[in-house]
Amino acid sequence: MKNAMYIVMPLAFIAMIVGIYCGIIRIGQPLPSGPYLPVAHHGVLMAGSFLGTLICLERVATFPDKKAWIFVIVMALSLPLFIANQGRYGVLCLLTGSAGYCWITISNYRKYRLKGDLIMAIGATFQLMAYAVFLFSFSYPRAFAAWMLFLVLTITGERLNLTRFLPVSKKAFYEIYFWIGLLLVSSFLYHLGSKVVVGASMIGLASWLLRHDLIRVNLKREGHYRFLGLALLLAYLWLAVTGVLSMLEMGNPYLYDAVLHSFFVGFVLSMILAHAPIIFPGLLNINTTPFHPVLYLWLAGLHIGLIIRIYGDMTENFELRKLGGIYNGVFFLVYLLTILWLIVKFKRSKS
């Protein structure tokens, strides 16, 4: 079934390209489009057909039961359904794949009993919830909280597992459990006036990760380790910014956009930039960690673009908002293409 990797990964990357293209159109940049371009589904293409598929693929690749591959294949097949204007069936594919991903994460926790695996299993249930809500409502604001919790808990769980190799005290673990619990409870009570608590819990999580992750260790090293440390640092800072923005009370119609993209671009995509040189070669069974100093340029471009976009949101400046959004899409795409080029270059040098 590992041959399915060469079907799933291309579909996930095509979903990313289509999602970025649709996002640039949605932000107001006139580009060629047609009836089969799912512009309205920019969000679910990026969160599901791209991110959800890749996260599931990472787990399935090391899962002992090969039947699990069917779930990631089903998630990847959401892309052609969205392109064929069959959005409901595309979301149904993502819902089905998410159910399988829940089973995988629960199985991993039952086998290894790691703290981080438990957090990821809880996060997986929110991905399932997000697609169930979206299937019946097709409302991004209604599904956003569940998507956010899925990604926050997945990333936090992964980083928590790595703290096994660090001298983290029992008190520190109690602290992160407190922030996670507070985020979960306040998210459910969000519409009852707990938005400040949601924001505070994000800031608390970001603070914990900044203090207890491998950032300082990696920043003292060279090559891709230093790049990893910097990308993690920026990701956690954007998680804190998301928390601050989510506390604001404004009549600004773009505040939602600022919160959404400070989280998905600043936090989530930064984590992808940090780990892509490790994850992608590992999935392809290629023994290399691609790195080139030009990656710093693409990383800087992504974050400068996001700052421009957030500033445009907060000042209601349409042109700045659009410019920042275009920078976000272009620099993220160029970064991943650079990683792909470095992997191909390494493979050719060995053959």
Side-chain angles (χ1 to χ4, degrees), residues 129-304:
M129 188 184 301
Y131 292 119
V133 170
F134 194 73
L135 181 66
F136 291 104
S137 69
F138 272 80
S139 169
Y140 283 102
R142 290 182 181 179
F144 169 60
W147 265 317
M148 180 199 72
L149 289 171
F150 159 60
L151 291 165
V152 165
L153 295 179
T154 298
I155 292 169
T156 302
E158 287 179 338
R159 304 314 298 175
L160 197 59
N161 278 343
L162 292 175
T163 60
R164 290 176 294 158
F165 309 109
L166 296 171
V168 180
S169 68
K170 192 173 287 188
K171 182 181 177 182
F173 281 120
Y174 289 146
E175 181 190 346
I176 195 170
Y177 299 150
F178 168 77
W179 291 123
I180 290 171
L182 189 65
L183 178 62
L184 291 174
V185 173
S186 59
S187 295
F188 277 106
L189 300 176
Y190 183 84
H191 293 291
L192 297 178
S194 66
K195 63 186 301 181
V196 173
V197 184
V198 171
S201 59
M202 287 187 188
I203 295 169
L205 268 178
S207 170
W208 193 96
L209 291 165
L210 283 166
R211 286 180 284 122
H212 296 290
D213 206 338
L214 290 160
I215 294 173
R216 281 173 292 181
V217 175
N218 285 324
L219 286 175
K220 293 176 182 177
R221 302 176 73 178
E222 301 292 331
H224 79 275
Y225 291 106
R226 180 174 293 175
F227 179 86
L228 170 64
L230 180 60
L232 289 174
L233 173 64
L234 292 169
Y236 299 149
L237 290 175
W238 277 112
L239 180 60
V241 170
T242 304
V244 172
L245 291 173
S246 67
M247 294 179 178
L248 298 180
E249 291 282 357
M250 297 173 64
N252 188 332
Y254 295 129
L255 179 60
Y256 171 72
D257 182 83
V259 173
L260 191 76
H261 290 91
S262 63
F263 177 78
F264 277 102
V265 177
F267 177 55
V268 178
L269 294 193
S270 289
M271 297 301 294
I272 294 177
L273 265 62
H275 294 98
I278 301 168
I279 294 172
F280 293 151
L283 289 173
L284 296 169
N285 200 26
I286 298 173
N287 188 24
T288 184
T289 306
F291 175 75
H292 190 282
V294 75
L295 296 179
Y296 282 107
L297 180 60
W298 312 145
L299 178 67
L302 181 84
H303 290 282
I304 291 170

Side-chain angles (χ1 to χ4, degrees), residues 27-106:
I27 207 169
Q29 179 63 30
L31 292 173
S33 61
Y36 295 107
L37 193 63
V39 176
H41 294 306
H42 157 71
V44 76
L45 283 169
M46 295 300 293
S49 302
F50 172 53
L51 280 173
T53 299
L54 279 184
I55 292 169
C56 186
L57 178 61
E58 187 185 358
R59 296 283 166 264
V60 166
T62 57
F63 196 66
D65 192 335
K66 300 308 174 188
K67 292 192 295 293
W69 278 92
I70 190 64
F71 295 109
V72 72
I73 292 170
V74 168
M75 290 192 85
L77 290 175
S78 63
L79 171 65
L81 288 168
F82 284 124
I83 291 174
N85 283 325
Q86 299 296 320
R88 189 165 297 278
Y89 292 107
V91 177
L92 191 59
C93 281
L94 293 172
L95 179 66
T96 304
S98 298
Y101 178 75
C102 278
W103 164 60
I104 292 166
T105 55
I106 292 168

